[in-house]
């Protein structure tokens, strides 16, 4: 199989991620105003319930399958066998998950008022299993993934404005959300026959996959306890309105996280291969990724802390003013989640140290559940936000400590940290001056802040000779020169 360009893969995955983000960015201001906090809270509460069963259905097969498929993708026979075996495990776990889901929907009294919403949302589980996105990621088929994602994002956008027109249309909104996120997976199974042959009888060796799959599954369950349980507990304890405030704040933060981690995601198959064949290339790629994460995360956190009010008012409306302090509390989670994923996706999983991801999240899950139980009854959405930030900080710190067991020296990953912090402080100072003279217009303030903040941050990095900022500038200069030459 021909080696594909990491730069091209990264650009394609950023395009795909951006398309996925444009859907909530374009639609959420509309949806939040049409449905209101209570009905937005209902949809997010139902989604949080479905995610538990989705985790059980996935059973860790996506992460495991992508890593193993990346290693054998040059051998068609081994790849076919692996994909069939992992898919059978995934299919069996999906059937078991649906059995448990339907029992819960019809037997748990608290779910009675959400029954239709839950049934609509649960279709995402089947689409995810049949879609087998992990195969396309392992084969680095990002062109196909991007094109079909763009198409279904556009279809979902049209459907949203047609069917979601008033506060009672929250079920239609849930359906459109499913289509936008996993609807394109319907095509995957059909298209996959060009890559993988499901014909012919062969002995299924499922047992050898179970141990690593269950380790990754246990990690996913532990993560869910502090990434999904906060929304679930808010729904139970504080009601749909507080859930709406919290989910609005966390949604905007997740958008930023998705953009930052899009680059790192495409590297996982390549890192899995390098971990066994080229240690120096592995170390170099990990170091570059760590710097890219810092370059993006630190100014993003700084800017969002400064602009929480205008961002919430623009994207959600004045009805969500109570979400502003929630967003200020939870914004630092961007840094902790991004680097928690970095340690897992770029270091632990490629080097087969899956258990190093499990223990930190287990500790943080227990901590988060306890803090949620204490803080949510008293502080509602702000309590859930604080509990999430602390839990993610613990996960990130423990993973950093464990990382020293895999890599001899982790300090080179952060030797430019001071440059990103200093440049971000200069950027925030510039934004403070801008606010003083720009007035109070929400849209104009945001646009000016984004443009001016990015320009000041980039200029500061170039002045202090940051290697990665200079690389980007040189690449842009080469492209511009090439374009002018072409004219």
């Amino acid at each position: 199989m021909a080696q594909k360009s990491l730069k091209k893969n990264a650009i394609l995955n950023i395009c795909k991620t951006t398309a996925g983000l444009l859907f909530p960015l374009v639609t959420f201001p509309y949806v939040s105003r049409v449905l209101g906090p209570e009905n937005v809270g209902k949809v997010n509460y139902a989604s949080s319930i479905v995610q538990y069963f989705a985790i059980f259905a996935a059973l860790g097969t996506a992460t495991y399958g992508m890593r193993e498929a990346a290693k054998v993708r040059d051998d068609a026979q081994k790849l076919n066998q692996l994909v069939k075996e992992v898919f059978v495990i995934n299919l069996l776990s999906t059937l078991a998950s649906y059995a448990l889901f339907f029992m819960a929907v019809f037997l748990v009294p608290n779910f009675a008022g959400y029954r239709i919403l839950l049934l609509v949302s649960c279709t995402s589980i089947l689409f995810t299993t049949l879609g087998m996105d992990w195969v396309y990621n392992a084969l680095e088929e990002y062109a196909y993934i991007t094109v079909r994602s763009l198409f279904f994002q556009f279809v979902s956008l049209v459907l949203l404005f047609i069917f979601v027109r008033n506060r009672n249309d929250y079920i239609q909104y849930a359906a459109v959300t499913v289509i936008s996120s996993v609807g394109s997976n319907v095509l995957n199974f059909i298209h996959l026959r060009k890559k993988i042959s499901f014909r012919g009888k062969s002995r299924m060796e499922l047992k050898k996959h179970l141990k690593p799959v269950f380790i990754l599954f246990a990690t996913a369950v532990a993560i869910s306890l502090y990434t999904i349980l906060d929304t679930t507990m808010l729904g139970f304890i504080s009601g749909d309105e507080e859930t709406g405030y919290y989910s609005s704040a966390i949604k905007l933060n997740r958008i930023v996280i998705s953009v930052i981690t899009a680059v790192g995601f495409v590297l996982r198959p390549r890192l899995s291969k390098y971990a066994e064949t080229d240690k120096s290339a592995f170390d170099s790629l990990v170091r570059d990724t760590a710097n890219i994460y810092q370059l993006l995360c630190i100014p993003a956190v700084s800017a969002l802390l400064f602009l929480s009010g205008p961002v919430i008012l623009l994207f959600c409306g004045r009805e969500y003013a109570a979400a502003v302090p929630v967003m200020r509390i939870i914004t630092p989670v961007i840094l902790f989640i991004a680097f928690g994923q970095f340690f897992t996706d770029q270091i632990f999983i490629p080097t087969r140290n899956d258990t190093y991801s499990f223990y930190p999240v287990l500790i943080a899950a227990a901590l988060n559940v306890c803090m949620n139980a204490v803080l949510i009854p008293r502080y509602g959405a702000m309590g859930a936000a604080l509990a999430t930030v602390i839990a993610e900080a613990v996960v990130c710190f423990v993973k950093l400590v464990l990382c020293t067991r895999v890599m001899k020296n982790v300090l080179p990953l952060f030797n430019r940290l001071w440059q990103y912090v200093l440049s971000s402080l200069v950027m925030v100072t510039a934004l403070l001056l801008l606010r003083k003279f720009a007035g109070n217009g929400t849209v104009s303030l945001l646009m000016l802040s984004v443009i001016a903040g990015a320009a000041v941050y980039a200029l500061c990095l170039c002045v202090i000779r940051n290697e990665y900022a200079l690389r980007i500038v040189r690449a842009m200069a080469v492209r511009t020169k090439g374009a002018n030459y072409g004219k």
Side-chain angles (χ1 to χ4, degrees), residues 66 260-272 274-275 282-283 285-290 293 337-352 357 403 406-407 413:
M66 183 168 71
I260 293 167
T261 56
V263 176
F265 184 80
V266 303
L267 301 177
R268 197 196 299 177
R270 192 70 57 86
L271 284 165
S272 296
Y274 284 164
F282 175 84
D283 290 342
L285 203 51
V286 167
R287 185 172 58 252
D288 289 348
T289 309
Y293 273 39
I337 289 179
F339 271 91
Q341 289 186 13
F342 165 77
F343 292 128
T344 295
D345 294 346
Q346 268 65 59
I347 299 174
F348 297 151
I349 289 177
T351 57
R352 296 177 181 265
S357 297
C403 187
V406 181
M407 300 184 71
L413 301 180

Side-chain angles (χ1 to χ4, degrees), residues 41-56 97 100-101 104-105 108 110-111 114 117-119 121-122 124-125 224 228-229 231-233 235-236:
K42 285 181 180 178
V43 174
N44 284 286
Y45 173 69
S47 177
S48 74
I49 299 300
V50 169
Q51 283 181 63
Y52 292 112
F53 295 93
I55 290 167
F56 181 76
S97 178
L100 293 172
F101 175 79
V105 166
V108 176
N110 283 2
F111 292 166
Y114 300 89
L117 198 52
L118 287 165
L119 292 173
S121 298
C122 82
S124 62
I125 299 174
S224 73
I228 306 172
L229 191 63
T231 305
T232 308
M233 291 181 73
F236 271 110

Side-chain angles (χ1 to χ4, degrees), residues 166-461:
N166 59 61
R167 299 218 163 191
N168 296 321
D169 292 337
Y170 58 91
I171 293 174
Q172 290 91 316
Y173 171 57
V176 170
T177 301
V178 170
I179 294 170
S180 72
S181 59
V182 293
S184 58
N185 287 7
V186 174
L187 302 178
N188 281 14
F189 193 79
I190 299 171
H191 182 267
L192 194 63
R193 291 181 298 177
K194 296 179 181 179
K195 307 286 182 183
I196 305 295
S197 174
F198 289 92
R199 295 182 179 179
K201 293 183 179 180
S202 58
R203 184 184 177 189
M204 292 285 183
E205 297 181 12
L206 305 183
K207 188 176 179 180
K208 66 181 181 182
H209 303 298
L210 295 181
K211 183 179 178 180
V213 162
F214 275 107
I215 290 173
L216 293 168
F217 167 64
T219 304
V221 170
I223 290 172
S224 73
L225 288 177
Y226 65 88
T227 58
I228 306 172
L229 191 63
D230 44 13
T231 305
T232 308
M233 291 181 73
L234 263 176
F236 271 110
I237 298 170
S238 300
D240 294 329
E241 193 167 342
E242 283 290 309
T243 306
Y245 296 141
Y246 179 78
S247 60
S248 299
I250 196 71
K251 184 187 289 286
L252 292 167
N253 276 278
R254 300 280 181 186
I255 288 172
V256 177
I257 293 167
S258 297
V259 171
I260 293 167
T261 56
V263 176
F265 184 80
V266 303
L267 301 177
R268 197 196 299 177
R270 192 70 57 86
L271 284 165
S272 296
K273 203 170 184 66
Y274 284 164
E276 295 189 350
T277 60
D278 192 337
K279 186 67 168 59
S280 62
F282 175 84
D283 290 342
S284 177
L285 203 51
V286 167
R287 185 172 58 252
D288 289 348
T289 309
N291 274 276
I292 292 169
Y293 273 39
Q294 292 167 76
L295 186 148
L296 297 174
C297 278
I298 295 172
V301 170
S302 304
L304 275 178
L305 283 170
F306 181 78
L307 298 169
S308 293
V311 168
I312 288 290
L313 293 177
L314 176 64
F315 287 102
C316 305
R318 297 194 177 277
E319 199 174 357
Y320 289 77
V324 174
V326 179
M327 187 168 181
R328 288 196 179 115
I329 292 170
I330 207 165
T331 289
V333 87
I334 293 171
L335 185 64
F336 301 133
I337 289 179
F339 271 91
Q341 289 186 13
F342 165 77
F343 292 128
T344 295
D345 294 346
Q346 268 65 59
I347 299 174
F348 297 151
I349 289 177
T351 57
R352 296 177 181 265
N353 287 292
D354 303 335
T355 54
Y356 285 175
S357 297
F358 174 65
Y359 296 121
V361 297
L362 190 63
I363 295 168
L367 178 64
N368 187 249
V369 170
C370 294
M371 288 191 299
N372 274 332
V374 173
L375 295 174
I376 288 177
R378 190 169 182 177
Y379 301 108
M382 287 191 290
L386 181 59
T388 298
V389 171
I390 294 172
E392 292 290 359
V394 169
V395 170
C396 190
F397 177 75
V398 176
K399 284 183 178 180
L400 175 61
V401 173
L402 291 172
C403 187
T404 59
R405 298 185 180 183
V406 181
M407 300 184 71
K408 291 181 180 179
N409 188 5
V410 299
L411 289 179
L413 301 180
F414 303 100
N415 60 5
R416 294 178 181 82
L417 178 62
W418 68 271
Q419 297 179 346
Y420 307 118
V421 173
L422 176 62
S423 300
S424 295
L425 289 173
V426 174
M427 177 191 72
V428 170
T429 303
L431 293 180
L432 283 168
L433 293 173
L434 179 66
R435 173 174 281 186
K436 187 175 180 179
F437 297 104
N440 296 319
T442 301
V443 177
S444 60
L445 178 62
L446 271 178
M447 289 180 64
L448 285 171
S449 296
V450 170
I451 295 169
V456 170
Y457 180 71
L459 180 62
C460 191
L461 284 177

